[in-house]
Amino acid sequence: MEKILRVEKIEKYYGNKSSLTKAIHSISFEVEKGEFVAIMGASGSGKTTLLNVISTIDRVTSGHIYVGNIDITKLRGNDLNKFRREELGFIFQDFNLLDTLTAYENIALSLSIQNVKEKEIARRIKEVAHHLDIQDVLDKYPYQMSGGQKQRVASARAIITRPKLVLADEPTGALDSRAARLLLERFNALNQDLDTTILMVTHDAFTASYASRVLFIKDGEVFNEIHKGESSRKEFFDQIIEVVTLLGGDLNDTL
């Protein structure tokens, strides 16, 4: 199986010698092509820092991160910008859509920057709109859409360039329960039908139960890892809750 992501003994420290904060300590794991992996942990566990260094928003103090065969910890300048643009897709909690563009234009923007022909842009948008069930909002502006529709448009924008890896940061955080469920079902469709590789950070056990594997982070280290396998989503949810209980502390921080 092709390895899309390899994280090798990464560490991330903030501050200086007199006041050093260890956010990540010697984390290693891999994500294979077509996996849907969730990362969970209490507030301050290091899960957001982990996503930030994988997304190249931040840099590791030591260690290496490979996306495909590219060591992204060594990228700088134009090479880094090109990598972000072509190899990663981002889904944010607050959507980050451009208010002056329609849904279609928001989705098409990254392809236009890459000089993809209009006919090919239209074909790709038609395909992804079908998988995310957003055909009816393509001509609408963000203010005309519900939160769930905005997030599905943002998801379409993230995958339209066919990136190696889609990174989702609390994608259901701003949605009500119905919209969250619809989005997660669409994520499953993208994962299974289009073989999209997804790495998602979430504090919510219900959201994590849609993944095929969950990594639990505690005090900057991998605390545990569980696989869904042949379990039902309800059974996997119960397994997640069991690990969350082992994590200790205030469950409200994790659930």
Side-chain angles (χ1 to χ4, degrees), residues 103-113 118 121 125 157 160:
Y104 185 99
E105 291 166 340
N106 266 284
I107 299 167
L109 184 60
S110 57
L111 293 178
S112 299
I113 292 171
E118 183 58 41
I121 291 175
I125 290 179
R157 179 187 58 189
I160 197 69

Side-chain angles (χ1 to χ4, degrees), residues 89-149:
F90 299 93
I91 303 172
F92 304 95
Q93 180 175 336
D94 56 358
F95 320 131
N96 281 11
L97 297 177
L98 296 175
D99 293 334
T100 57
L101 300 182
T102 65
Y104 185 99
E105 291 166 340
N106 266 284
I107 299 167
L109 184 60
S110 57
L111 293 178
S112 299
I113 292 171
Q114 294 181 21
N115 295 316
V116 176
K117 293 182 178 179
E118 183 58 41
K119 185 176 181 180
E120 173 65 9
I121 291 175
R123 188 191 68 78
R124 288 202 205 177
I125 290 179
K126 180 179 180 181
E127 177 186 26
V128 75
H130 169 73
H131 282 285
L132 285 163
D133 194 21
I134 53 172
Q135 300 97 319
D136 294 340
V137 301
L138 290 177
D139 293 328
K140 293 184 178 180
Y141 291 90
Y143 76 90
Q144 297 173 307
M145 293 182 257
S146 67
Q149 289 170 333

Side-chain angles (χ1 to χ4, degrees), residues 4-253:
I4 292 296
L5 174 68
R6 287 185 293 134
V7 176
E8 297 183 351
K9 297 182 179 180
I10 62 168
E11 302 199 344
K12 178 64 181 178
Y13 300 137
Y14 293 103
N16 50 45
K17 290 182 179 180
S18 62
S19 178
L20 198 63
T21 300
K22 181 174 66 176
I24 296 176
H25 177 63
S26 194
I27 285 182
S28 298
F29 67 93
E30 297 178 341
V31 176
E32 295 183 346
K33 180 175 174 58
E35 271 200 286
F36 182 0
V37 179
I39 298 174
M40 291 191 72
S43 178
S45 62
K47 65 182 187 297
T48 299
T49 300
L50 178 59
L51 188 70
N52 285 346
V53 295
I54 294 171
S55 67
T56 71
I57 292 173
D58 205 348
R59 293 191 178 278
V60 297
T61 303
S62 64
H64 297 274
I65 302 171
Y66 297 88
V67 175
N69 295 318
I70 300 172
D71 184 350
I72 66 174
T73 62
K74 295 182 178 180
L75 294 179
R76 300 289 188 277
N78 290 334
D79 289 338
L80 180 57
N81 292 332
K82 183 175 185 292
F83 169 79
R84 288 171 176 161
R85 186 171 61 246
E86 296 181 2
E87 306 295 349
L88 294 181
F90 299 93
I91 303 172
F92 304 95
Q93 180 175 336
D94 56 358
F95 320 131
N96 281 11
L97 297 177
L98 296 175
D99 293 334
T100 57
L101 300 182
T102 65
Y104 185 99
E105 291 166 340
N106 266 284
I107 299 167
L109 184 60
S110 57
L111 293 178
S112 299
I113 292 171
Q114 294 181 21
N115 295 316
V116 176
K117 293 182 178 179
E118 183 58 41
K119 185 176 181 180
E120 173 65 9
I121 291 175
R123 188 191 68 78
R124 288 202 205 177
I125 290 179
K126 180 179 180 181
E127 177 186 26
V128 75
H130 169 73
H131 282 285
L132 285 163
D133 194 21
I134 53 172
Q135 300 97 319
D136 294 340
V137 301
L138 290 177
D139 293 328
K140 293 184 178 180
Y141 291 90
Y143 76 90
Q144 297 173 307
M145 293 182 257
S146 67
Q149 289 170 333
K150 289 178 186 177
Q151 193 59 296
R152 279 179 279 150
V153 170
S155 301
R157 179 187 58 189
I159 70 166
I160 197 69
T161 57
R162 298 172 180 165
K164 281 189 171 68
L165 180 64
V166 173
L167 303 171
D169 185 9
E170 301 283 4
T172 61
L175 305 180
D176 61 36
S177 58
R178 180 178 179 277
R181 185 186 295 271
L182 286 172
L183 177 69
L184 292 166
E185 288 173 353
R186 294 298 92 198
F187 273 18
N188 269 345
L190 292 175
N191 175 243
Q192 294 170 12
D193 298 342
L194 300 183
D195 210 25
T196 304
T197 307
I198 303 172
L199 183 66
M200 173 179 69
V201 163
T202 181
H203 70 284
D204 179 59
F206 175 80
T207 298
S209 69
Y210 279 82
S212 56
R213 176 162 58 112
V214 181
L215 290 172
F216 297 87
I217 307 298
K218 181 177 182 179
D219 299 330
E221 301 181 64
V222 176
F223 173 78
N224 203 341
E225 175 182 357
I226 58 174
H227 295 255
K228 183 177 182 181
E230 298 300 318
S231 300
S232 68
R233 194 182 60 76
K234 175 62 170 63
E235 290 168 339
F236 195 41
F237 173 83
D238 291 339
Q239 293 176 44
I240 293 169
I241 293 297
E242 288 178 9
V243 178
V244 166
T245 302
L246 290 175
L247 279 169
D250 184 356
L251 289 184
N252 290 327
D253 286 342

